[in-house]
Amino acid sequence: MPPPTPPPAAAAPPSVLAVSVAAAEATEVLFFPEARGARGAHVARLCAELEAARRTLDVAMFTLTHDGLADALFAAHRRGCRVRVLTDGRQAKCTGADAQRLREAGIAVRLDSSFYAFHHKFAIVDGRTLLNGSFNWTAQAASGNHESVVIFRGAGELTASFTAQFERMWSLFAPASASG
């Protein structure tokens, strides 16, 4: 059997992009699992970043099953933010996956249903704050896995590069009848 054919590539960004984060207003690093006495504080920190969204919230996440983080997306949507989620098609079918619930609430969700894993784990808040790292939005990642998330605030060039990648993938994974 021949190897699978990769999906057609939209205008691919450079594979290496040098950006400066020195001008970032603030950078914060969260490591998981948390110390026993602090369990839940890092997820609360991520929820606070999501709750700060006023206009847009774009999420690219391999696995999304953490109800607290999904609830923050629902809340942003109810506040009138444009919320968009890209996720892996196989992971969206896992027990506890939130992709369908998000869709049913009117949140735009697109799936990468290709042979390859959609392995991104980042979120962009109002085009100004970037959350990026190894952390899937799952209870297992929050309570047991060794994970990290870096929060970049005001790192314009870095955030813009992730925004461009998100837009490229949003177009790439559009259903044939999608208009936006």
Side-chain angles (χ1 to χ4, degrees):
M1 175 191 262
T5 305
S15 59
V16 177
L17 183 64
V19 297
S20 171
V21 294
E25 294 168 10
T27 303
E28 187 174 347
V29 182
L30 307 176
F31 292 105
F32 295 85
E34 298 173 74
R36 288 186 193 263
R39 295 285 161 123
H42 288 352
V43 169
R45 193 69 209 86
L46 294 174
C47 286
E49 292 296 332
L50 301 176
E51 290 163 5
R54 295 294 170 251
R55 297 179 332 273
T56 61
L57 185 50
D58 292 330
V59 178
M61 193 60 49
F62 178 61
T63 306
L64 174 53
T65 62
H66 194 289
D67 290 339
L69 292 163
D71 288 347
L73 299 180
F74 290 125
H77 178 69
R78 286 191 301 272
R79 284 195 309 277
C81 287
R82 181 194 71 189
V83 179
R84 300 184 297 173
V85 176
L86 289 165
T87 191
D88 186 86
R90 285 176 300 280
Q91 294 301 313
K93 296 173 187 161
C94 290
T95 302
D98 290 309
Q100 188 59 37
R101 285 191 324 127
L102 294 167
R103 264 195 181 133
E104 290 168 358
I107 294 173
V109 176
R110 292 191 180 169
L111 306 177
D112 174 359
S113 295
S114 71
F115 172 81
Y116 301 98
F118 181 88
H119 215 245
H120 285 289
K121 298 159 190 85
F122 69 87
I124 305 160
V125 180
D126 288 336
R128 286 193 40 80
T129 301
L130 171 66
L131 314 175
N132 184 49
S134 63
F135 182 74
N136 277 302
W137 289 8
T138 68
Q140 179 65 37
S143 64
N145 293 355
H146 293 273
E147 308 274 3
S148 61
V149 177
V150 181
I151 303 171
F152 297 93
R153 289 179 211 84
E157 192 177 2
L158 179 65
T159 303
S161 69
F162 275 84
T163 299
Q165 177 66 5
F166 185 92
E167 294 298 342
R168 186 186 78 77
M169 294 183 302
W170 189 256
S171 295
L172 181 64
F173 301 122
S177 61
S179 61

